[in-house]
Amino acid sequence: MHRRFLLPMLLCLPLPGLVWAQPTTPEPEDASQPPPHYNVSATQLQAGVAQRFPMRFPVQGLMNLDVQVPQLRLLPAVNRLGAVMDVVAAGPALERTHQGTLDVEFALRYEATDRTVRAHQLRFKRLLFPTLQPSVVALLNTYGPALAQQTLLEVVVHTLRPQDLALPDALGMQPGSMTITTEGLTIGFVPKGRAG
């Protein structure tokens, strides 16, 4: 009822990351305002995903794969993130430790129950170990998709704070679209009850 008067007041609140897009050309007085969006930098995404690592993945008692912190890369052309992780293979089946890399891509989704942005729609790309025999690498690659799922599927890459959502919530909006840009992530807001 009082949204028309509440909007100018709310726009004065300093909310880091939240941007209210202003129209570039004059609009009729009754035109609705463009929706707000929230920006998450590449640095923030990297810090968010790093919290779960390093982690260990056992392979049938033969060896362990120790997965290090993923190095994220932005893929705006396909609206996804890429991640390359250093992997150390060691165990009774190997004479020494071997260094390798795990390469995956994934999309992002918003989870309203805990205000988190999570990795989903994971795509395993490759698991490389230059110093291992090709037959061993081929065996390890059969575990690659499972390794990718265990290490990154549904991993939290960012958590929104209650104050980050205060303005959109007051306007009856919620996080919707997830757009990877050259700078990081832009979260678009949509009316509550409508999917992003």
Side-chain angles (χ1 to χ4, degrees), residues 56-77:
R56 174 164 287 185
F57 183 81
V59 180
Q60 291 187 341
L62 300 174
M63 68 187 79
N64 291 315
L65 300 176
D66 292 322
V67 183
Q68 305 306 309
V69 176
Q71 297 304 307
L72 297 182
R73 62 187 187 280
L74 304 169
L75 304 171

Side-chain angles (χ1 to χ4, degrees), residues 98-120:
H98 295 266
Q99 305 282 337
T101 56
L102 171 64
D103 192 358
V104 301
E105 286 182 10
F106 56 93
L108 295 174
R109 72 172 189 88
Y110 179 70
E111 176 53 57
T113 57
D114 57 3
R115 304 183 315 277
T116 57
V117 177
R118 296 170 173 265
H120 83 135

Side-chain angles (χ1 to χ4, degrees), residues 15-22 34-40 160 164 167-168 173 175-177 179 181 185-190:
L15 297 172
L18 187 65
V19 179
W20 190 269
Q22 295 295 336
H37 57 273
Y38 183 89
N39 294 322
V40 184
L160 291 163
D164 298 328
L167 172 57
M173 304 189 86
S177 62
T179 305
T181 69
L185 167 68
T186 295
I187 302 172
F189 290 87
V190 297

Side-chain angles (χ1 to χ4, degrees), residues 105-191:
E105 286 182 10
F106 56 93
L108 295 174
R109 72 172 189 88
Y110 179 70
E111 176 53 57
T113 57
D114 57 3
R115 304 183 315 277
T116 57
V117 177
R118 296 170 173 265
H120 83 135
Q121 294 179 350
L122 205 68
R123 289 182 193 156
F124 168 71
K125 304 293 280 184
R126 66 190 64 85
L127 181 60
L128 296 175
F129 282 94
T131 58
L132 278 174
Q133 295 292 325
S135 59
V136 179
V137 175
L139 171 67
L140 287 176
N141 268 278
T142 65
Y143 292 94
L147 176 61
Q149 295 275 326
Q150 183 168 320
T151 55
L152 272 176
L153 187 64
E154 293 298 320
V155 164
V156 172
V157 299
H158 188 71
T159 302
L160 291 163
R161 303 165 303 171
Q163 58 265 41
D164 298 328
L165 298 173
L167 172 57
D169 188 59
L171 298 172
M173 304 189 86
Q174 64 187 6
S177 62
M178 300 279 146
T179 305
I180 302 300
T181 69
T182 56
E183 303 297 323
L185 167 68
T186 295
I187 302 172
F189 290 87
V190 297

